[in-house]
């Protein structure tokens, strides 16, 4: 039974890469790292009832489990190559596993990533995805390296996933026929990892992090790793029209500062490189905004804004 499930996953995620000497089916995968490259590896776990509500569509779970990991590779400036999938299932439901594999494969295909192995066990629904990506030796982007005077920039818009989560929790059911509700829910269920932006930033950014726990929390991590502080211009936070329409400007700003699950990239560059970064990201169709500056000292300040008392993902815990 388990083998048939594995076959279903293998068929649906099949993607040929010359560097996969041996993929799913043996005791271990055998993989060739190109000369001159280093491996960036990351793993993230999604637990039903903690990271996604019971009843979430399997394709959305498969997509998101990979997306959160690709976002980590993007933040390192790494090019995705391979993944492992450890799957714990309460029962062997082929239709459900097919959906999961298809959601995973849709995003994996966009980035030429091959699923090369994994593990399948019985138990409460939970999945771990491990990803492997390449980065030229010594060129990985890290959280350290931000310098006082740097411009702070962020891709895309912030707070949409937190808005989508609020929609699913507040008394009224979200209205999927409403374009703005659908936008926020899609941002929560199917985040877009900024892989191509990460590659473009590799030679340009001083420091980079992906926004998974909320801007204040994650920029705080970047500052701590770099030994600097940050000052944000609250008026420049990129907010989607959908978020502002549904919640109003003040709540939208709070979602942008403290809400998690956006999977955008926050990074710092020399002020004189801002224009170059803007055109490099435009070339990969990735919107970007300048939202503040790195300062000497520590901590993240947002002059003129009432900063939410508790920051980060827990603020909007499901
Ligand atoms: P073993 O007991 O030797 O670890 P398994 O029966 O667990 O072998 O796995 C058989 C093959 O199927 C291995 O190549 C493994 O990597 C792969 N595999 C198992 N589960 C999954 C999964 N959920 N996704 C992808 N590959 C898997
Ligand atoms: Mg095994």
């Amino acid at each position: 039974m388990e083998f048939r499930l594995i076959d279903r996953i293998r068929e649906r995620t099949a993607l040929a890469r010359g560097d996969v000497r041996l993929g799913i089916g043996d005791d271990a995968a055998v993989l060739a790292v190109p000369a001159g490259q280093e491996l960036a590896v990351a793993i993230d776990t999604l637990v039903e009832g903690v990271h996604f509500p019971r009843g979430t569509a399997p394709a959305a779970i498969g997509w998101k489990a990979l997306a959160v990991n690709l976002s980590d590779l993007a933040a390192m400036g790494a090019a995705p190559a391979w993944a492992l999938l450890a799957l714990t299932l309460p029962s062997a439901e082929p239709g459900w596993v097919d959906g999961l594999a298809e959601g995973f494969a849709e995003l994996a295909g966009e980035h030429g990533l091959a699923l090369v192995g994994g593990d399948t066990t019985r138990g409460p629904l939970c999945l771990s995805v491990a990803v492997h990506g390449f980065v030229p030796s010594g060129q990985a982007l890290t959280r350290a390296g931000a310098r006082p005077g740097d411009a702070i920039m962020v891709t895309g818009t912030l707070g949409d996933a937190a808005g989508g989560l609020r929609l699913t929790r507040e008394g009224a059911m979200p209205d999927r026929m409403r374009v703005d509700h659908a936008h926020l829910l899609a941002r929560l269920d199917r985040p877009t990892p900024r892989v191509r932006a990460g590659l473009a930033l590799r030679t340009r950014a001083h420091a980079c992090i992906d926004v998974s726990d909320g801007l204040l929390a994650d920029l705080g991590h970047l500052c701590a790793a770099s030994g600097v502080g940050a000052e944000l211009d609250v008026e420049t936070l990129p907010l989607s029209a959908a978020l502002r329409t549904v919640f109003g400007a003040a709540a939208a700003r709070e979602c942008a500062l403290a809400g998690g699950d956006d999977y955008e990239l926050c990074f710092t560059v020399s002020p004189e490189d801002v224009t170059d970064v803007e055109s490099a990201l435009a070339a990969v169709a990735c919107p970007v905004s300048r939202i503040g500056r790195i300062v000497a000292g520590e901590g993240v300040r947002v002059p003129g804004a009432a900063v939410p008392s508790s920051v980060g993902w827990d603020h909007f815990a499901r």
Side-chain angles (χ1 to χ4, degrees):
M1 178 184 64
E2 181 193 315
F3 294 110
R4 234 170 285 143
L5 284 186
I6 296 170
D7 283 341
R8 302 185 82 94
I9 294 172
R10 183 171 46 72
E11 284 160 17
R12 282 164 183 76
T13 58
L15 186 146
R17 282 184 66 104
D19 51 18
V20 179
R21 302 288 189 254
L22 203 48
I24 294 173
D26 215 300
D27 291 312
V30 180
L31 308 165
V33 182
Q37 305 276 316
E38 289 171 339
L39 269 188
V41 301
I43 185 166
D44 260 310
T45 298
L46 300 188
V47 179
E48 182 184 54
V50 179
H51 301 100
F52 57 89
R54 192 178 290 264
T56 302
I61 298 171
W63 173 288
K64 190 162 181 175
L66 179 57
V68 301
N69 278 287
L70 289 183
S71 179
D72 283 324
L73 288 187
M76 304 302 289
W82 313 310
L84 298 167
L85 167 63
L87 191 55
T88 305
L89 295 166
S91 62
E93 280 179 50
W96 195 94
V97 170
D98 290 354
L100 179 92
E102 283 157 13
F104 183 100
E106 191 184 341
L107 181 58
E110 278 184 24
H111 297 286
L113 172 134
L115 181 65
V116 297
D119 195 25
T120 308
T121 55
R122 192 179 291 266
L125 182 56
C126 168
L127 63 167
S128 297
V129 173
V131 288
H132 306 66
F134 303 146
V135 63
S137 296
Q139 283 188 27
L141 269 176
T142 70
R143 298 175 180 190
R147 305 163 203 168
D150 277 2
I152 301 170
M153 304 186 80
V154 69
T155 60
T157 57
L158 295 174
D160 294 326
L165 185 56
R166 280 193 183 186
L167 282 181
T168 66
R169 308 181 101 200
E170 280 167 7
M173 288 285 289
D175 179 359
R176 285 181 188 269
M177 298 305 286
R178 271 184 65 169
V179 173
D180 46 16
H181 282 202
H183 176 80
L184 300 181
L185 294 170
R187 291 273 289 159
L188 177 65
D189 284 344
R190 288 193 159 229
T192 307
R194 297 294 188 179
V195 171
R196 289 172 191 89
L199 296 180
L201 291 173
R202 185 157 69 200
T203 52
R204 296 179 166 96
H206 290 162
C208 185
I209 190 167
D210 71 320
V211 182
S212 54
D213 294 337
L215 179 66
L216 291 178
D218 290 315
L219 179 56
H221 296 321
L222 183 151
C223 286
S226 295
V228 296
E231 217 170 83
L232 294 178
D233 301 323
V234 73
E235 298 300 328
T236 62
L237 289 174
L239 306 174
S240 71
L243 190 68
R244 279 184 282 116
T245 306
V246 176
F247 295 103
R253 221 175 269 147
E254 188 181 319
C255 285
L257 288 170
D261 263 1
D262 283 321
Y263 303 102
E264 297 294 348
L265 296 180
C266 178
F267 57 94
T268 84
V269 298
S270 294
E272 58 270 25
D273 292 338
V274 166
T275 318
D276 169 56
V277 165
E278 284 168 346
S279 44
L281 293 195
V284 294
C286 179
V288 65
S289 306
R290 181 176 185 168
I291 59 169
R293 70 206 64 78
I294 294 295
V295 296
E298 59 182 51
V300 181
R301 284 195 306 280
V302 195
V307 171
S309 52
S310 93
V311 300
W313 187 85
D314 282 346
H315 192 62
F316 295 109
R318 289 169 200 246

